[in-house]
PDB file of all heavy atoms in Angstrom:
ATOM      1  N   ARG A  42      -9.472 -13.450  -1.620  1.00  0.00           N
ATOM      2  CA  ARG A  42      -8.474 -13.186  -0.576  1.00  0.00           C
ATOM      3  C   ARG A  42      -7.076 -13.203  -1.207  1.00  0.00           C
ATOM      4  O   ARG A  42      -6.230 -12.373  -0.905  1.00  0.00           O
ATOM      5  CB  ARG A  42      -8.562 -14.245   0.525  1.00  0.00           C
ATOM      6  CG  ARG A  42      -7.733 -13.906   1.768  1.00  0.00           C
ATOM      7  CD  ARG A  42      -7.747 -15.039   2.778  1.00  0.00           C
ATOM      8  NE  ARG A  42      -7.206 -16.283   2.236  1.00  0.00           N
ATOM      9  CZ  ARG A  42      -5.892 -16.562   2.182  1.00  0.00           C
ATOM     10  NH1 ARG A  42      -5.016 -15.712   2.668  1.00  0.00           N
ATOM     11  NH2 ARG A  42      -5.484 -17.695   1.674  1.00  0.00           N
ATOM     12  N   LEU A  46      -4.118 -10.431  -1.438  1.00  0.00           N
ATOM     13  CA  LEU A  46      -2.715 -10.656  -1.044  1.00  0.00           C
ATOM     14  C   LEU A  46      -1.754 -10.050  -2.069  1.00  0.00           C
ATOM     15  O   LEU A  46      -0.654  -9.640  -1.733  1.00  0.00           O
ATOM     16  CB  LEU A  46      -2.426 -12.154  -0.914  1.00  0.00           C
ATOM     17  CG  LEU A  46      -2.765 -12.832   0.415  1.00  0.00           C
ATOM     18  CD1 LEU A  46      -2.444 -14.323   0.328  1.00  0.00           C
ATOM     19  CD2 LEU A  46      -2.004 -12.205   1.570  1.00  0.00           C
ATOM     20  N   LEU A  49      -1.240  -6.806  -0.738  1.00  0.00           N
ATOM     21  CA  LEU A  49      -0.634  -6.774   0.605  1.00  0.00           C
ATOM     22  C   LEU A  49       0.856  -7.133   0.614  1.00  0.00           C
ATOM     23  O   LEU A  49       1.656  -6.441   1.238  1.00  0.00           O
ATOM     24  CB  LEU A  49      -1.400  -7.737   1.529  1.00  0.00           C
ATOM     25  CG  LEU A  49      -0.983  -7.680   2.997  1.00  0.00           C
ATOM     26  CD1 LEU A  49      -1.622  -6.468   3.674  1.00  0.00           C
ATOM     27  CD2 LEU A  49      -1.358  -8.952   3.746  1.00  0.00           C
ATOM     28  N   ILE A  50       1.218  -8.213  -0.098  1.00  0.00           N
ATOM     29  CA  ILE A  50       2.594  -8.722   0.040  1.00  0.00           C
ATOM     30  C   ILE A  50       3.656  -7.738  -0.495  1.00  0.00           C
ATOM     31  O   ILE A  50       4.600  -7.416   0.221  1.00  0.00           O
ATOM     32  CB  ILE A  50       2.727 -10.130  -0.594  1.00  0.00           C
ATOM     33  CG1 ILE A  50       1.870 -11.125   0.213  1.00  0.00           C
ATOM     34  CG2 ILE A  50       4.176 -10.588  -0.621  1.00  0.00           C
ATOM     35  CD1 ILE A  50       1.806 -12.525  -0.364  1.00  0.00           C
ATOM     36  N   PRO A  51       3.510  -7.223  -1.743  1.00  0.00           N
ATOM     37  CA  PRO A  51       4.530  -6.262  -2.192  1.00  0.00           C
ATOM     38  C   PRO A  51       4.582  -5.028  -1.288  1.00  0.00           C
ATOM     39  O   PRO A  51       5.659  -4.487  -1.050  1.00  0.00           O
ATOM     40  CB  PRO A  51       4.061  -5.867  -3.594  1.00  0.00           C
ATOM     41  CG  PRO A  51       3.128  -6.932  -4.025  1.00  0.00           C
ATOM     42  CD  PRO A  51       2.510  -7.489  -2.785  1.00  0.00           C
ATOM     43  N   THR A  52       3.427  -4.632  -0.752  1.00  0.00           N
ATOM     44  CA  THR A  52       3.401  -3.451   0.106  1.00  0.00           C
ATOM     45  C   THR A  52       4.184  -3.702   1.398  1.00  0.00           C
ATOM     46  O   THR A  52       4.957  -2.846   1.848  1.00  0.00           O
ATOM     47  CB  THR A  52       1.939  -3.078   0.432  1.00  0.00           C
ATOM     48  OG1 THR A  52       1.212  -3.006  -0.792  1.00  0.00           O
ATOM     49  CG2 THR A  52       1.842  -1.745   1.116  1.00  0.00           C
ATOM     50  N   HIS A  53       4.002  -4.896   1.983  1.00  0.00           N
ATOM     51  CA  HIS A  53       4.750  -5.223   3.205  1.00  0.00           C
ATOM     52  C   HIS A  53       6.248  -5.302   2.944  1.00  0.00           C
ATOM     53  O   HIS A  53       7.056  -4.763   3.694  1.00  0.00           O
ATOM     54  CB  HIS A  53       4.250  -6.545   3.803  1.00  0.00           C
ATOM     55  CG  HIS A  53       3.070  -6.357   4.679  1.00  0.00           C
ATOM     56  ND1 HIS A  53       2.653  -7.268   5.615  1.00  0.00           N
ATOM     57  CD2 HIS A  53       2.215  -5.333   4.772  1.00  0.00           C
ATOM     58  CE1 HIS A  53       1.585  -6.806   6.248  1.00  0.00           C
ATOM     59  NE2 HIS A  53       1.292  -5.646   5.738  1.00  0.00           N
ATOM     60  N   LEU A  54       6.619  -5.979   1.857  1.00  0.00           N
ATOM     61  CA  LEU A  54       8.034  -6.076   1.495  1.00  0.00           C
ATOM     62  C   LEU A  54       8.624  -4.672   1.297  1.00  0.00           C
ATOM     63  O   LEU A  54       9.709  -4.368   1.772  1.00  0.00           O
ATOM     64  CB  LEU A  54       8.159  -6.841   0.177  1.00  0.00           C
ATOM     65  CG  LEU A  54       8.600  -8.293   0.246  1.00  0.00           C
ATOM     66  CD1 LEU A  54       8.500  -8.898  -1.151  1.00  0.00           C
ATOM     67  CD2 LEU A  54      10.032  -8.391   0.741  1.00  0.00           C
ATOM     68  N   GLN A  55       7.869  -3.840   0.602  1.00  0.00           N
ATOM     69  CA  GLN A  55       8.351  -2.496   0.275  1.00  0.00           C
ATOM     70  C   GLN A  55       8.613  -1.667   1.514  1.00  0.00           C
ATOM     71  O   GLN A  55       9.560  -0.909   1.571  1.00  0.00           O
ATOM     72  CB  GLN A  55       7.329  -1.808  -0.646  1.00  0.00           C
ATOM     73  CG  GLN A  55       7.692  -0.421  -1.124  1.00  0.00           C
ATOM     74  CD  GLN A  55       8.783  -0.446  -2.188  1.00  0.00           C
ATOM     75  OE1 GLN A  55       9.620  -1.329  -2.217  1.00  0.00           O
ATOM     76  NE2 GLN A  55       8.765   0.527  -3.065  1.00  0.00           N
ATOM     77  N   TRP A  56       7.794  -1.830   2.525  1.00  0.00           N
ATOM     78  CA  TRP A  56       7.991  -0.957   3.673  1.00  0.00           C
ATOM     79  C   TRP A  56       9.181  -1.385   4.517  1.00  0.00           C
ATOM     80  O   TRP A  56       9.878  -0.549   5.077  1.00  0.00           O
ATOM     81  CB  TRP A  56       6.693  -0.700   4.448  1.00  0.00           C
ATOM     82  CG  TRP A  56       6.325  -1.528   5.641  1.00  0.00           C
ATOM     83  CD1 TRP A  56       5.403  -2.528   5.687  1.00  0.00           C
ATOM     84  CD2 TRP A  56       6.801  -1.383   6.987  1.00  0.00           C
ATOM     85  NE1 TRP A  56       5.318  -3.024   6.958  1.00  0.00           N
ATOM     86  CE2 TRP A  56       6.157  -2.329   7.776  1.00  0.00           C
ATOM     87  CE3 TRP A  56       7.737  -0.522   7.590  1.00  0.00           C
ATOM     88  CZ2 TRP A  56       6.381  -2.472   9.135  1.00  0.00           C
ATOM     89  CZ3 TRP A  56       7.971  -0.658   8.954  1.00  0.00           C
ATOM     90  CH2 TRP A  56       7.285  -1.620   9.711  1.00  0.00           C
ATOM     91  N   ILE A  57       9.471  -2.686   4.522  1.00  0.00           N
ATOM     92  CA  ILE A  57      10.673  -3.153   5.234  1.00  0.00           C
ATOM     93  C   ILE A  57      11.930  -2.671   4.492  1.00  0.00           C
ATOM     94  O   ILE A  57      12.871  -2.167   5.098  1.00  0.00           O
ATOM     95  CB  ILE A  57      10.657  -4.700   5.322  1.00  0.00           C
ATOM     96  CG1 ILE A  57       9.768  -5.127   6.469  1.00  0.00           C
ATOM     97  CG2 ILE A  57      12.036  -5.283   5.522  1.00  0.00           C
ATOM     98  CD1 ILE A  57      10.246  -4.582   7.798  1.00  0.00           C
ATOM     99  N   ILE A  58      11.903  -2.757   3.162  1.00  0.00           N
ATOM    100  CA  ILE A  58      13.058  -2.288   2.389  1.00  0.00           C
ATOM    101  C   ILE A  58      13.211  -0.774   2.560  1.00  0.00           C
ATOM    102  O   ILE A  58      14.310  -0.263   2.740  1.00  0.00           O
ATOM    103  CB  ILE A  58      12.888  -2.651   0.894  1.00  0.00           C
ATOM    104  CG1 ILE A  58      12.869  -4.179   0.744  1.00  0.00           C
ATOM    105  CG2 ILE A  58      14.003  -2.059   0.050  1.00  0.00           C
ATOM    106  CD1 ILE A  58      12.367  -4.640  -0.605  1.00  0.00           C
ATOM    107  N   LEU A  60      12.330   0.984   5.123  1.00  0.00           N
ATOM    108  CA  LEU A  60      12.818   1.246   6.480  1.00  0.00           C
ATOM    109  C   LEU A  60      14.345   1.087   6.544  1.00  0.00           C
ATOM    110  O   LEU A  60      15.039   1.912   7.137  1.00  0.00           O
ATOM    111  CB  LEU A  60      12.145   0.273   7.451  1.00  0.00           C
ATOM    112  CG  LEU A  60      12.227   0.624   8.934  1.00  0.00           C
ATOM    113  CD1 LEU A  60      11.465   1.908   9.213  1.00  0.00           C
ATOM    114  CD2 LEU A  60      11.643  -0.506   9.783  1.00  0.00           C
ATOM    115  N   VAL A  98       0.467   1.674   4.710  1.00  0.00           N
ATOM    116  CA  VAL A  98       0.663   0.235   4.912  1.00  0.00           C
ATOM    117  C   VAL A  98      -0.233  -0.261   6.055  1.00  0.00           C
ATOM    118  O   VAL A  98      -0.861  -1.323   5.953  1.00  0.00           O
ATOM    119  CB  VAL A  98       2.149  -0.084   5.207  1.00  0.00           C
ATOM    120  CG1 VAL A  98       2.317  -1.553   5.569  1.00  0.00           C
ATOM    121  CG2 VAL A  98       3.019   0.259   4.009  1.00  0.00           C
ATOM    122  N   THR A 102      -3.179  -3.028   5.652  1.00  0.00           N
ATOM    123  CA  THR A 102      -3.172  -4.249   6.474  1.00  0.00           C
ATOM    124  C   THR A 102      -4.490  -4.387   7.245  1.00  0.00           C
ATOM    125  O   THR A 102      -5.045  -5.489   7.351  1.00  0.00           O
ATOM    126  CB  THR A 102      -1.973  -4.239   7.452  1.00  0.00           C
ATOM    127  OG1 THR A 102      -0.788  -3.986   6.694  1.00  0.00           O
ATOM    128  CG2 THR A 102      -1.840  -5.563   8.178  1.00  0.00           C
ATOM    129  N   ILE A 103      -5.004  -3.263   7.751  1.00  0.00           N
ATOM    130  CA  ILE A 103      -6.294  -3.302   8.459  1.00  0.00           C
ATOM    131  C   ILE A 103      -7.398  -3.753   7.493  1.00  0.00           C
ATOM    132  O   ILE A 103      -8.252  -4.578   7.836  1.00  0.00           O
ATOM    133  CB  ILE A 103      -6.642  -1.915   9.060  1.00  0.00           C
ATOM    134  CG1 ILE A 103      -5.651  -1.562  10.174  1.00  0.00           C
ATOM    135  CG2 ILE A 103      -8.086  -1.891   9.596  1.00  0.00           C
ATOM    136  CD1 ILE A 103      -5.836  -0.163  10.750  1.00  0.00           C
ATOM    137  N   TYR A 105      -7.156  -5.661   4.848  1.00  0.00           N
ATOM    138  CA  TYR A 105      -7.020  -7.097   4.582  1.00  0.00           C
ATOM    139  C   TYR A 105      -7.521  -7.911   5.764  1.00  0.00           C
ATOM    140  O   TYR A 105      -8.283  -8.874   5.619  1.00  0.00           O
ATOM    141  CB  TYR A 105      -5.551  -7.430   4.287  1.00  0.00           C
ATOM    142  CG  TYR A 105      -5.308  -8.909   4.090  1.00  0.00           C
ATOM    143  CD1 TYR A 105      -5.538  -9.507   2.857  1.00  0.00           C
ATOM    144  CD2 TYR A 105      -4.880  -9.701   5.148  1.00  0.00           C
ATOM    145  CE1 TYR A 105      -5.332 -10.863   2.678  1.00  0.00           C
ATOM    146  CE2 TYR A 105      -4.678 -11.063   4.976  1.00  0.00           C
ATOM    147  CZ  TYR A 105      -4.911 -11.640   3.742  1.00  0.00           C
ATOM    148  OH  TYR A 105      -4.724 -12.985   3.577  1.00  0.00           O
ATOM    149  N   SER A 106      -7.081  -7.478   6.950  1.00  0.00           N
ATOM    150  CA  SER A 106      -7.407  -8.198   8.173  1.00  0.00           C
ATOM    151  C   SER A 106      -8.921  -8.203   8.431  1.00  0.00           C
ATOM    152  O   SER A 106      -9.504  -9.232   8.785  1.00  0.00           O
ATOM    153  CB  SER A 106      -6.674  -7.480   9.299  1.00  0.00           C
ATOM    154  OG  SER A 106      -6.483  -8.310  10.360  1.00  0.00           O
ATOM    155  N   ARG A 107      -9.555  -7.041   8.203  1.00  0.00           N
ATOM    156  CA  ARG A 107     -11.011  -6.943   8.387  1.00  0.00           C
ATOM    157  C   ARG A 107     -11.721  -7.844   7.372  1.00  0.00           C
ATOM    158  O   ARG A 107     -12.674  -8.549   7.704  1.00  0.00           O
ATOM    159  CB  ARG A 107     -11.489  -5.503   8.188  1.00  0.00           C
ATOM    160  CG  ARG A 107     -11.186  -4.573   9.358  1.00  0.00           C
ATOM    161  CD  ARG A 107     -11.704  -3.169   9.085  1.00  0.00           C
ATOM    162  NE  ARG A 107     -13.138  -3.028   9.331  1.00  0.00           N
ATOM    163  CZ  ARG A 107     -14.039  -2.814   8.408  1.00  0.00           C
ATOM    164  NH1 ARG A 107     -13.684  -2.723   7.150  1.00  0.00           N
ATOM    165  NH2 ARG A 107     -15.308  -2.684   8.747  1.00  0.00           N
ATOM    166  N   LYS A 109     -10.747 -10.489   6.136  1.00  0.00           N
ATOM    167  CA  LYS A 109     -10.631 -11.893   6.537  1.00  0.00           C
ATOM    168  C   LYS A 109     -11.631 -12.236   7.648  1.00  0.00           C
ATOM    169  O   LYS A 109     -12.177 -13.330   7.686  1.00  0.00           O
ATOM    170  CB  LYS A 109      -9.200 -12.162   7.044  1.00  0.00           C
ATOM    171  CG  LYS A 109      -8.411 -13.016   6.094  1.00  0.00           C
ATOM    172  CD  LYS A 109      -7.005 -13.360   6.538  1.00  0.00           C
ATOM    173  CE  LYS A 109      -6.752 -13.410   8.032  1.00  0.00           C
ATOM    174  NZ  LYS A 109      -5.357 -13.751   8.346  1.00  0.00           N
ATOM    175  N   ARG A 110     -11.832 -11.270   8.556  1.00  0.00           N
ATOM    176  CA  ARG A 110     -12.658 -11.537   9.741  1.00  0.00           C
ATOM    177  C   ARG A 110     -14.157 -11.383   9.491  1.00  0.00           C
ATOM    178  O   ARG A 110     -14.960 -12.102  10.082  1.00  0.00           O
ATOM    179  CB  ARG A 110     -12.269 -10.568  10.870  1.00  0.00           C
ATOM    180  CG  ARG A 110     -11.210 -11.114  11.814  1.00  0.00           C
ATOM    181  CD  ARG A 110     -11.009 -10.183  12.978  1.00  0.00           C
ATOM    182  NE  ARG A 110     -10.477  -8.873  12.585  1.00  0.00           N
ATOM    183  CZ  ARG A 110     -11.158  -7.739  12.620  1.00  0.00           C
ATOM    184  NH1 ARG A 110     -12.383  -7.706  13.057  1.00  0.00           N
ATOM    185  NH2 ARG A 110     -10.606  -6.604  12.242  1.00  0.00           N
TER     186      ARG A 110
HETATM  187  C1  HEM B 201       9.327  -9.386   4.110  1.00  0.00           C
HETATM  188  C2  HEM B 201       8.370  -8.731   4.606  1.00  0.00           C
HETATM  189  C3  HEM B 201       6.939  -9.163   4.767  1.00  0.00           C
HETATM  190  C4  HEM B 201       6.165  -9.989   3.979  1.00  0.00           C
HETATM  191  C5  HEM B 201       6.560 -10.745   2.720  1.00  0.00           C
HETATM  192  C6  HEM B 201       4.832 -10.063   4.614  1.00  0.00           C
HETATM  193  C7  HEM B 201       3.771 -10.799   4.150  1.00  0.00           C
HETATM  194  C8  HEM B 201       2.538 -10.884   4.762  1.00  0.00           C
HETATM  195  C9  HEM B 201       1.456 -11.756   4.355  1.00  0.00           C
HETATM  196  C10 HEM B 201       1.536 -12.768   3.222  1.00  0.00           C
HETATM  197  C11 HEM B 201       0.413 -11.534   5.193  1.00  0.00           C
HETATM  198  C12 HEM B 201      -0.964 -12.201   5.125  1.00  0.00           C
HETATM  199  C13 HEM B 201      -1.066 -13.348   6.072  1.00  0.00           C
HETATM  200  C14 HEM B 201      -2.476 -13.864   6.126  1.00  0.00           C
HETATM  201  O1  HEM B 201      -3.042 -14.243   5.091  1.00  0.00           O
HETATM  202  O2  HEM B 201      -3.028 -13.855   7.208  1.00  0.00           O
HETATM  203  C15 HEM B 201       0.811 -10.524   6.131  1.00  0.00           C
HETATM  204  C16 HEM B 201      -0.001 -10.046   7.123  1.00  0.00           C
HETATM  205  C17 HEM B 201       0.408  -9.170   8.107  1.00  0.00           C
HETATM  206  N1  HEM B 201       1.685  -8.655   8.257  1.00  0.00           N
HETATM  207 FE1  HEM B 201       3.217  -8.874   6.938  1.00  0.00          FE
HETATM  208  N2  HEM B 201       4.827  -9.256   5.728  1.00  0.00           N
HETATM  209  C18 HEM B 201       6.091  -8.700   5.868  1.00  0.00           C
HETATM  210  C19 HEM B 201       6.531  -7.852   6.858  1.00  0.00           C
HETATM  211  C20 HEM B 201       5.746  -7.418   7.915  1.00  0.00           C
HETATM  212  C21 HEM B 201       6.214  -6.619   9.033  1.00  0.00           C
HETATM  213  C22 HEM B 201       7.652  -6.146   9.217  1.00  0.00           C
HETATM  214  C23 HEM B 201       5.149  -6.400   9.853  1.00  0.00           C
HETATM  215  C24 HEM B 201       5.008  -5.623  11.133  1.00  0.00           C
HETATM  216  C25 HEM B 201       5.940  -4.986  11.762  1.00  0.00           C
HETATM  217  C26 HEM B 201       4.014  -7.072   9.276  1.00  0.00           C
HETATM  218  C27 HEM B 201       2.754  -7.089   9.832  1.00  0.00           C
HETATM  219  C28 HEM B 201       1.693  -7.813   9.362  1.00  0.00           C
HETATM  220  C29 HEM B 201       0.363  -7.798   9.945  1.00  0.00           C
HETATM  221  C30 HEM B 201      -0.073  -7.007  11.185  1.00  0.00           C
HETATM  222  C31 HEM B 201      -0.445  -8.644   9.157  1.00  0.00           C
HETATM  223  C32 HEM B 201      -1.945  -8.872   9.331  1.00  0.00           C
HETATM  224  C33 HEM B 201      -2.342 -10.256   9.667  1.00  0.00           C
HETATM  225  C34 HEM B 201      -3.854 -10.396   9.560  1.00  0.00           C
HETATM  226  O3  HEM B 201      -4.558  -9.798  10.366  1.00  0.00           O
HETATM  227  O4  HEM B 201      -4.293 -11.082   8.685  1.00  0.00           O
HETATM  228  N3  HEM B 201       4.396  -7.665   8.088  1.00  0.00           N
HETATM  229  N4  HEM B 201       2.112 -10.122   5.832  1.00  0.00           N
END
Side-chain angles (χ1 to χ4, degrees):
R42 190 185 60 83
L46 275 178
L49 187 79
I50 294 175
T52 309
H53 275 199
L54 257 174
Q55 182 74 331
W56 95 257
I57 279 300
I58 296 166
L60 196 65
V98 174
T102 308
I103 293 175
Y105 176 83
S106 203
R107 284 180 80 248
K109 251 182 28 180
R110 267 187 296 110

